[in-house]
Amino acid sequence: MTLSVSLSHRFPDFALDLSFDAPEGITVLFGRSGSGKTTAINSVAGLLKPQRARIVMGDETLNDTDSQIFVPVHKRRMGYVFQEARLFPHLSVRQNLEYGQRFAPSGAKGPSTAEVAALLGIAPLLDRVPSGLSGGERQRVAIGRALLSRPRLLLMDEPLAALDGARKAEILPYLERLRDQVALPILYVSHSVAEVARLATTMVVLEEGRVARAGPAEAILSDPDMVRQIGVREAGAVLPARVKRHHPDGLTELEASGGRLFLPRMETEEGTATRVRILAQDVILSNTAPEGLSALNILKATVISLREGTGPGVVVQLSAGEDKLLARITRRSAEALAITPGDTVYAVVKSVSIARVDIGTA
Amino acid sequence: MTNWLGAEEWQAVVLSLQVSFWATLLSLPFGVFVAYALARWEFRGKQLLNMAVHLPLILPPVVTGYLLLLIFGRRGAVGAFLEQTFGIVLAFRWTGAALAAAIMAFPLMVRAIRLAIEAVDPKLEEAAATLGASRLQVFSTVTLPLITPGLIAGAVLAFAKAIGEFGATITFVSNIPGQTQTVPSAIYAFLQVPGGESGALRLVAISIVIAMAALLASELLARRAQRRATGREGSP
């Protein structure tokens, strides 16, 4: 089931005009604050009535201003996870979770409370009240509540933004499981590249109320033209890799299409498919096979393109095996090494520079 | 109790409780509706409605009572209609006393309920809607449970006000012992006759007890409502 969105809306100081498709998996609406992400997701939810819109979910039209169709919020059956958990304070965790079920059509199928509680690790909390929960727990209950309302689509508006780093890291694996185990399209609003790299199947980049780019997340993240939107410090490709072996010296060996990667010990089982985000600024290039170097990860790659920015840096797009990598080096180095498209280079990545949060399951 | 209070005094106390009880109970649904409209809806004439609701608070009670007599009296537009269609007569009956008390207490009730509704985060109601609840279901499953303490506080306040209502009541339904003579009217009547002070004092004591009990209850409930509204979501 695909969600197809096309809308335009004019606020006093801001105009929105965009269209995109959200296929299965997680579609991330990515952009700075004020780019129109929340307006878009609220239009899909029915919380906002755009001046012009055509929003179609599978074969059901939710909103079509041309034929005056507007399905009200409560009939859209979209599980919405907000930035704040918005749990009902007068209900227990279990009652919160099961709140939406009574309104769902009797034929609607979905996971049971026990299944959802197990998936999100909230089974021990069922009899508690929301005010006693931590931020991360609350957000997981909110996700469970949305899931249990038997939705046809999950909407998430920066569900991790209000949480600190540790809480984010706590919830990300659950979201990955959701993506991989629950057959629901998920529309996910975020301005965090780290979240996009971990979660996104499809990426829709919004800029000032318009769609700047849309497509598979891996293609967009490894596109040098995206570096400006993402920011030079955050830019980096996502590399699919499989866990091959855990070594006794505390390293985990992963196998990517372009070679082996050694990363600090991961708790993931051998054979698991992962995706590793490698920041462009963490990649060093060499035009000869490096020797006498402490870095463990050396991938042989071919230069696809060089993109100069306004600063002293150059972003080099590489292909290593079937995957793409980004490296950000100085213009001076690029000239010294005489890097040109088609060249073979060696990309060097320090094992410890890859943050744990940047390794997710695929 | 009956020995301590004379039959007439006892009648006045019972009548007052009866009048206030019905006045509060029957005006509660209207109070909730008006409070919700004032708290949550934007509509033409909102200020006008707000003013109309608060008018009995500012007008001299005698004026309100006289207006009631003009409108709900047997020759008044609404009064005549009610009598012909339903056989309901309000003027100079205890039911009229209940109407007068309800109208005088209405602003207090609406104010308390409105504050409670405003303390409910609309985002919670929005969340309920995304989970499939219609507007009415959102109200009954989220808004209403959350405002219940405020609702009770408003009702208690209205009840206390209704017990003490004098000006509008005596103007609209007069001061007929056993029929329309509430506690304040009885006190007034006692003070009109020589040697009535002791009866008046007994009723005064009862009035004070009822009023204090009501105020205390309302205060406690209001505090609970506050706690519930603010304990909603601590910082994450």
Side-chain angles (χ1 to χ4, degrees):
Chain A
M1 189 153 45
T2 298
L3 171 79
S4 165
V5 179
S6 162
L7 57 92
S8 63
H9 191 85
R10 193 170 292 278
F11 292 102
D13 53 347
F14 177 66
L16 195 78
D17 189 2
L18 48 85
S19 57
F20 63 87
D21 282 349
E24 306 259 314
I26 296 187
T27 301
V28 174
L29 293 180
F30 176 83
R32 298 205 178 93
S33 53
S35 60
K37 303 182 303 266
T38 299
T39 308
I41 200 171
N42 280 344
S43 303
V44 174
L47 293 172
L48 188 116
K49 223 171 180 169
Q51 284 146 355
R52 283 182 56 80
R54 188 169 156 71
I55 300 170
V56 181
M57 170 88 204
D59 51 8
E60 191 194 340
T61 305
L62 298 174
N63 193 179
D64 187 353
T65 40
D66 286 341
S67 46
Q68 308 211 323
I69 295 173
F70 182 83
V71 178
V73 192
H74 69 280
K75 290 196 177 139
R76 293 202 179 189
R77 296 184 46 222
M78 310 233 159
Y80 199 144
V81 180
F82 301 90
Q83 192 167 328
E84 342 77 59
R86 302 197 189 180
L87 300 180
F88 304 123
H90 59 297
L91 301 179
S92 71
V93 168
R94 180 189 290 281
Q95 288 169 322
N96 264 284
L97 286 171
E98 290 170 355
Y99 181 84
Q101 259 169 39
R102 62 185 120 167
F103 307 118
S106 49
K109 288 195 197 73
S112 68
T113 308
E115 283 166 356
V116 167
L119 176 78
L120 296 167
I122 48 179
L125 309 176
L126 289 176
D127 296 321
R128 306 254 301 268
V129 289
S131 59
L133 304 183
S134 74
E137 288 169 338
R138 257 181 236 164
Q139 204 54 298
R140 278 186 280 154
V141 174
I143 294 169
R145 183 178 67 174
L147 269 179
L148 281 167
S149 70
R150 309 265 180 267
R152 298 177 293 184
L153 178 80
L154 268 187
L155 305 173
M156 299 193 166
D157 186 6
E158 311 224 15
L160 306 182
L163 306 175
D164 59 34
R167 297 280 156 266
K168 276 185 194 157
E170 167 195 324
I171 292 189
L172 275 167
Y174 293 110
L175 293 177
E176 285 174 338
R177 271 203 246 171
L178 216 62
R179 177 193 63 200
D180 304 332
Q181 292 179 15
V182 183
L184 279 179
I186 300 175
L187 189 60
Y188 190 108
V189 160
S190 179
H191 68 261
S192 152
V193 192
E195 279 171 47
V196 174
R198 273 289 284 270
L199 300 171
T201 331
T202 307
M203 200 172 160
V204 177
V205 182
L206 298 185
E207 215 178 36
E208 288 168 9
R210 286 167 191 283
V211 176
R213 281 292 302 274
E218 279 158 25
I220 292 183
L221 287 170
S222 63
D223 183 346
D225 291 336
M226 285 303 300
V227 170
R228 184 177 53 83
Q229 265 108 341
I230 290 173
V232 285
R233 289 188 189 288
E234 291 275 8
V238 171
L239 214 61
R242 193 167 289 278
V243 178
K244 201 175 175 203
R245 203 180 319 155
H246 297 296
H247 290 274
D249 61 352
L251 290 178
T252 294
E253 182 182 343
L254 287 97
E255 199 166 32
S257 68
R260 287 177 307 173
L261 286 173
F262 291 93
L263 301 180
R265 178 82 186 214
M266 295 161 55
E267 298 307 322
T268 326
E269 268 179 59
E270 290 177 6
T272 312
T274 64
R275 37 198 272 176
V276 182
R277 174 182 176 216
I278 298 174
L279 292 178
Q281 62 175 5
D282 289 340
V283 178
I284 297 168
L285 295 184
S286 163
N287 54 6
T288 55
E291 281 170 35
L293 204 65
S294 70
L296 288 169
N297 303 315
I298 300 169
L299 299 173
K300 197 175 170 187
T302 310
V303 176
I304 300 174
S305 67
L306 284 89
R307 189 181 183 283
E308 295 200 6
T310 47
V314 177
V315 175
V316 184
Q317 191 188 33
L318 308 160
S319 81
E322 292 157 18
D323 302 304
K324 297 209 169 68
L325 265 181
L326 285 185
R328 182 166 167 262
I329 58 174
T330 58
R331 191 176 299 167
R332 183 180 293 187
S333 307
E335 280 163 14
L337 296 173
I339 293 175
T340 48
D343 286 358
T344 297
V345 292
Y346 295 86
V348 181
V349 186
K350 264 182 85 174
S351 297
V352 291
S353 69
I354 296 170
R356 187 65 196 84
V357 71
D358 286 330
I359 309 162
T361 58
Chain B
M1 194 81 173
T2 22
N3 294 337
W4 184 61
L5 279 182
E8 207 170 287
E9 297 156 34
W10 185 236
Q11 250 176 3
V13 171
V14 171
L15 188 75
S16 264
L17 291 173
Q18 180 188 342
V19 161
S20 305
F21 176 78
W22 287 108
T24 307
L25 195 73
L26 294 180
S27 60
L28 200 55
F30 297 99
V32 172
F33 181 79
V34 170
Y36 192 87
L38 289 175
R40 285 290 148 85
W41 294 341
E42 284 308 322
F43 54 93
R44 258 169 190 276
K46 184 171 166 173
Q47 275 318 308
L48 210 67
L49 176 68
N50 194 26
M51 251 167 62
V53 166
H54 283 93
L55 213 55
L57 210 60
I58 318 151
L59 277 182
V62 180
V63 172
T64 306
Y66 186 59
L67 285 173
L68 283 174
L69 198 56
L70 286 181
I71 300 166
F72 290 96
R74 302 185 84 147
R75 289 192 198 157
V78 182
F81 169 79
L82 283 177
E83 188 177 357
Q84 277 156 25
T85 332
F86 303 107
I88 298 173
V89 179
L90 293 168
F92 306 110
R93 303 282 168 90
W94 77 267
T95 46
L99 175 68
I103 284 180
M104 293 303 289
F106 202 61
L108 295 175
M109 176 187 274
V110 168
R111 212 176 173 79
I113 299 174
R114 181 182 176 173
L115 283 176
I117 292 174
E118 283 170 349
V120 174
D121 191 344
K123 288 177 169 179
L124 290 177
E125 296 167 326
E126 221 173 64
T130 66
L131 291 164
S134 67
R135 279 172 91 157
L136 210 63
Q137 286 164 333
V138 171
F139 180 78
S140 62
T141 60
V142 176
T143 321
L144 198 59
L146 288 175
I147 63 166
T148 301
L151 210 75
I152 299 171
V156 170
L157 213 60
F159 182 83
K161 169 72 187 166
I163 290 265
E165 217 302 300
F166 174 67
T169 308
I170 206 164
T171 316
F172 184 34
V173 297
S174 184
N175 190 356
I176 310 162
Q179 288 184 51
T180 63
Q181 190 177 70
T182 58
V183 170
S185 314
I187 295 173
Y188 175 76
F190 271 125
L191 294 177
Q192 302 303 303
V193 294
E197 283 89 349
S198 62
L201 270 177
R202 284 198 290 273
L203 288 176
V204 163
I206 288 177
S207 301
I208 291 174
V209 169
I210 293 176
M212 296 243 302
L215 200 64
L216 203 70
S218 133
E219 195 66 30
L220 283 172
L221 290 164
R223 221 173 286 169
R224 246 186 74 190
Q226 186 95 34
R227 259 210 308 278
R228 266 180 100 158
T230 49
R232 185 186 310 123
E233 286 208 4
S235 52

